[in-house]
Amino acid sequence: KLNCVGLGIIQNILVDKPSDQSSRWSSESNYPPQYLILKLERPAIVLSITYGKYEKTHVCNLKKFKVFGGMIWVNILGCMSRHFFIFFIFLSAVCQHMCECPLFMLSVCVWLRTVPLMSWGPSFNFSIWYIELHGIEDPDVVQPCLNWYSKYREQEAIRLCLKHFRQHNYTEAFESLQKKTRIALEHPMLTHLHERLVLRGDFDACEELIDKAVRDGLFNQYISQQDYKPRWSQIIPKCNKGDSDDNRPGMRGGHQMVIDVQTETVYLFGGWDGTQDLADFWAYSVKENQWACISRDTEKENGPSARSCHKMCIDSQRRQIYTLGRYLDSSVRNSKSLKSDFYCYDIDANTWTLLSEDTSADGGPKLVFDHQMCMDSEKHMIYTFGGRILTCNGSVDDGRTSEPQFSGLYAYHCQAGSWSLLREDSCNAGPEDIQSRIGHCMLFHTRNRCLYVFGGQRSKTYLNDFFSYDVDGDHVEIISDGTKKDSGMVPMTGFTQRATIDPELNEIHVLSGLSKDKDKREENVRNSFWIYDIARNNWSCVYKNDQAVKENTTKALQEEEPCPRFAHQLVYDELHKVHYLFGGNPGKSSSPKMRLDDFWSLKLCRPSKEYLLRHCKYLIRKYRFEEKAQTEPLNALKYLQNDLSLTVDHTDPDETKEFQLLPTALFKSSSDFIPLGFSDVDQTYAQRTQLFDTLVNFFPDNMTPPKGNLVDLITL
């Protein structure tokens, strides 16, 4: 614990009195900037800050704030409401008046300034009840950090000067400062690139250097930082001569799909075609682009009966598919039909095995629908969570005045053939309690061995919470409790959203389904695709199509991407990084029985190495052409046609349009070029420097010159 000094009322927050309303610091108004300053008795490395609150809920508590600190003012913590509230909820069960915010970087501090941005009551002033700092103040630890920090600032200041001198061609000043300090401006490869490009104009050597950089993987960091772009492609399966439409799955929703990534085979079973449940079983070969019907009716082959709203999972190692649950109309429910049967399909033997006539009698879940099921191939375990429990017609569950029943979290030990209940359905807010639901997403991360659960619906409430469950440690971690929903930052609250996981990339992908807009009080079917970065705890939206499906939906849009829908199915091949989507309900009020049978693939694309190499060559050759155009217009035109043209994708309308405008450079004089702001530097040197700065952006940060510019430090 670190000691602080304060003035006047500041002393109140250095003493923890959660039951005393006067023991706090309060701002005069609720408008920033208001702030509170603490000074440490001596420089220290601050590791965490604990903020206290009043023992009861209070409108003046901070919801959003920032912390500045250091030997000088540096922003070291931006504690947004999402991060703050996670700690708030988690610790409130243990300590009713504490919330701890760890700093995201080690910083040697003398001063700390807390700047409130928002209170829980929007029209109330800000209050801080208690602050406790934790860190290291041992001089043997702190002093080396101070020395490193001073050296780092000095080094970066010199590198900014070196960059400025070279940009302005102050050669003597640049060489003298570098010789005196022996500080490198950048990686030797980039110095070599600058020499060939800016000083010599050796464009061929520049292309060779860029080619080597790409082959050595130096552009990988840049690629990983780029946003995904979705690329939908409708799959038209191959048909043999004489084949009828019966040789591919028909229209349906509420079906199930799994994928064997080793053989690139998608399996599809069951569903609802608008009038009846289905019992057909299909396999789609990605390599052959062809569907094969394994069974027209699995019940006739000792398999499951026709069903929808069931769930399947696949064990790719043992080549087995498991299916559990189904929906039954209340008119056909009885003690016999409500038994929860459980089947396993052996892919190689092409046989079904009834594992259980009623999982409830074996210690497992009762008959449920719209639940979720995941396979842990390593431990040969199956996890199932949620779903609504079906009961006989006339029971309390079917009464309008009673709440529906939901299933908890179960584990099935495949080898032992036994079930175990891990968590019961709970509406409590305890740290280890979980709330069951239907229409949610559940995924198993094979590397960190956690289940991830997101969204869904419970009775009339649409849920937007997000939590993980450690299957080995039997521990629940709340990632987001859903009470701070920001529609621009997280997927919209919804039902039948489809999610996949990529353990290698450590990402979760969510495709929207039926969304609930509480402001408009109506349900809409919308397209949106989100990615959750597990390591960074961050959601990003790849794309949105907020237009609900209408009768006049254009055919062109239908051909570019699938129309919005729900009750569809989505599977993901994590080896080849491809999603596959089939069928669903488009939600057309004019055709309530309409179901879809379209089949799509989705690739999330970032710029490839090949694209970046071609793009860099295009930038180099474009400048080379413009430079030639000023002195050798005829040779420049030949270069444009024969060399620059090779780096353009002529099937891309934007690239083609830009290429077609390039000949205008042949008719420009040197006075037509816009000065770049480099004083006392000839135009050729300045433009080559600008090209160099553009190419440098593709290299890793630890190889490049400082991002800033010396002149930007000068303020008026």
Side-chain angles (χ1 to χ4, degrees), residues 254-284:
H255 50 291
Q256 272 296 293
M257 293 198 311
V258 293
I259 184 169
D260 184 344
V261 297
Q262 302 298 331
T263 62
E264 293 185 77
T265 305
V266 177
Y267 294 91
L268 182 152
F269 170 62
W272 172 265
D273 66 2
T275 59
Q276 63 180 349
D277 281 330
L278 304 171
D280 51 349
F281 188 32
W282 298 82
Y284 171 77

Side-chain angles (χ1 to χ4, degrees), residues 378-549:
E378 181 184 344
K379 298 291 181 68
H380 208 191
M381 298 276 290
I382 294 175
Y383 297 94
T384 178
F385 170 65
R388 182 169 172 176
I389 299 173
L390 287 172
T391 57
C392 291
N393 190 24
S395 71
V396 293
D397 187 35
D398 295 307
R400 294 185 178 181
T401 59
S402 63
E403 289 293 322
Q405 302 172 24
F406 298 91
S407 183
L409 175 62
Y410 288 86
Y412 177 72
H413 307 257
C414 298
Q415 190 169 359
S418 61
W419 288 92
S420 57
L421 176 62
L422 304 178
R423 288 290 190 285
E424 292 183 346
D425 174 30
S426 174
C427 293
N428 298 327
E432 294 296 329
D433 294 321
I434 57 177
Q435 192 175 28
S436 295
R437 72 279 310 275
I438 61 173
H440 52 293
C441 304
M442 185 173 79
L443 305 159
F444 180 65
H445 196 308
T446 55
R447 299 195 177 188
N448 67 20
R449 302 192 49 75
C450 284
L451 292 169
Y452 289 88
V453 179
F454 172 77
Q457 183 183 8
R458 185 179 177 94
S459 299
K460 296 181 180 180
T461 303
Y462 284 77
L463 305 174
N464 204 32
D465 58 338
F466 186 23
F467 65 88
S468 66
Y469 173 75
D470 184 337
V471 298
D472 297 328
D474 188 31
H475 170 66
V476 175
E477 180 179 348
I478 305 298
I479 300 172
S480 172
D481 61 14
T483 60
K484 318 161 299 304
K485 185 178 76 67
D486 180 350
S487 60
M489 297 301 294
V490 298
M492 182 179 293
T493 305
F495 179 73
T496 75
Q497 292 165 318
R498 301 305 182 213
T500 61
I501 191 167
D502 191 320
E504 179 186 357
L505 299 178
N506 212 23
E507 293 175 345
I508 291 174
H509 311 138
V510 178
L511 178 67
S512 64
L514 184 67
S515 299
K516 179 76 173 179
D517 191 328
K518 296 183 179 179
D519 296 329
K520 295 182 179 180
R521 299 290 177 181
E522 63 181 14
E523 292 175 338
N524 291 302
V525 187
R526 298 176 177 175
N527 257 355
S528 65
F529 198 93
W530 295 76
I531 293 180
Y532 175 71
D533 188 316
I534 296 175
R536 298 178 182 176
N537 187 28
N538 178 59
W539 287 100
S540 60
C541 183
V542 174
Y543 85 100
K544 275 186 180 181
N545 176 11
D546 285 332
Q547 183 179 6
V549 177

Side-chain angles (χ1 to χ4, degrees), residues 3-14 25-26 33-41 49 51 66-73 109-116 128 131 133:
N3 294 322
C4 305
V5 293
L7 299 175
I9 198 171
I10 301 294
Q11 297 292 340
N12 290 342
I13 63 170
L14 301 181
W25 168 85
S26 292
Q34 310 265 343
Y35 55 86
L36 179 144
I37 296 177
L38 292 178
K39 181 183 178 182
L40 301 180
E41 291 184 350
I49 305 177
Y51 286 87
K66 287 185 177 181
V67 175
F68 297 80
M71 306 301 291
I72 57 174
W73 294 125
C109 296
V110 170
W111 300 90
L112 280 164
R113 179 175 63 174
T114 300
V115 181
I128 297 177
I131 295 182
L133 306 179

